[in-house]
Amino acid sequence: MPEKIDVKRPLSVGEVSARSGVPISTLHFYEREKLIESWRTTGNQRRYTRDVLRRIAVIRVAQRAGVPLAEIHDALSALPHGRTPTQRDWTRLSTSWRDRLNNRIEALTKLRDGLNDCIGCGCLSVKQCPLRNAGDHLSSKNQGAVLL
């Protein structure tokens, strides 16, 4: 018979680290940045409520999508305190980040596609190079790879 889990029992920093896959030092960083919170026992040990696991998952996914920590902080601050983020919460958060991610994908695709022209010449100062020398403004300074 499986062991019954006490969902009210707080988690230690080691348990949160093991369950979330996040190093303890990262948990401490998240606390300093006010992304998650804990309290101290009389023995000065950190304790967390279980909702912190979902919050950490949200943080990690948002970071992978390129969302800055300040924006993640603002989003998590808008959630009710002490409650596990729900599917509805996640939908609201992820929708607000979707446009940013789509814009990054578009910019990276353009960058990737533009690299083909640059790699062939090697000098990065040709008249048509939009990546490093738009308008060939370096041609008057020297020949070849001026910026390299």
Side-chain angles (χ1 to χ4, degrees):
M1 178 181 248
E3 187 179 321
K4 195 169 190 178
I5 297 173
D6 180 2
V7 295
K8 302 249 187 230
R9 183 182 66 79
L11 301 172
S12 70
V13 69
E15 289 172 314
V16 172
S17 176
R19 295 271 313 270
S20 67
V22 173
I24 291 173
S25 59
T26 301
L27 296 175
H28 293 173
F29 172 74
Y30 287 167
E31 275 193 73
R32 282 192 306 276
E33 295 298 313
K34 301 195 182 322
L35 296 167
I36 62 173
E37 61 182 43
S38 69
W39 72 92
R40 301 288 183 139
T41 66
T42 55
N44 202 30
Q45 296 175 333
R46 283 181 167 90
R47 292 293 183 258
Y48 300 88
T49 56
R50 289 177 183 273
D51 67 288
V52 77
L53 295 171
R54 180 84 48 88
R55 288 177 182 269
I56 292 168
V58 168
I59 294 165
R60 301 296 284 184
V61 170
Q63 284 183 304
R64 288 188 68 200
V67 179
L69 283 180
E71 198 171 315
I72 297 169
H73 172 270
D74 292 345
L76 290 175
S77 295
L79 297 178
H81 184 71
R83 174 174 67 71
T84 301
T86 64
Q87 178 64 44
R88 181 182 225 169
D89 294 329
W90 174 246
T91 299
R92 190 176 75 247
L93 296 176
S94 63
T95 298
S96 71
W97 296 327
R98 187 179 317 276
D99 287 340
R100 171 194 303 268
L101 188 55
N102 285 335
N103 290 338
R104 285 186 63 215
I105 290 169
E106 184 179 333
L108 287 170
T109 300
K110 285 180 182 178
L111 177 63
R112 181 204 60 208
D113 295 347
L115 284 176
N116 289 340
D117 296 332
C118 243
I119 291 170
C121 78
C123 77
L124 299 175
S125 66
V126 295
K127 190 179 267 185
Q128 300 301 315
C129 184
L131 299 176
R132 293 285 296 232
N133 187 21
D136 196 26
H137 71 277
L138 294 175
S139 64
S140 62
K141 297 189 189 292
N142 206 345
Q143 291 182 344
V146 176
L147 296 177
L148 299 176

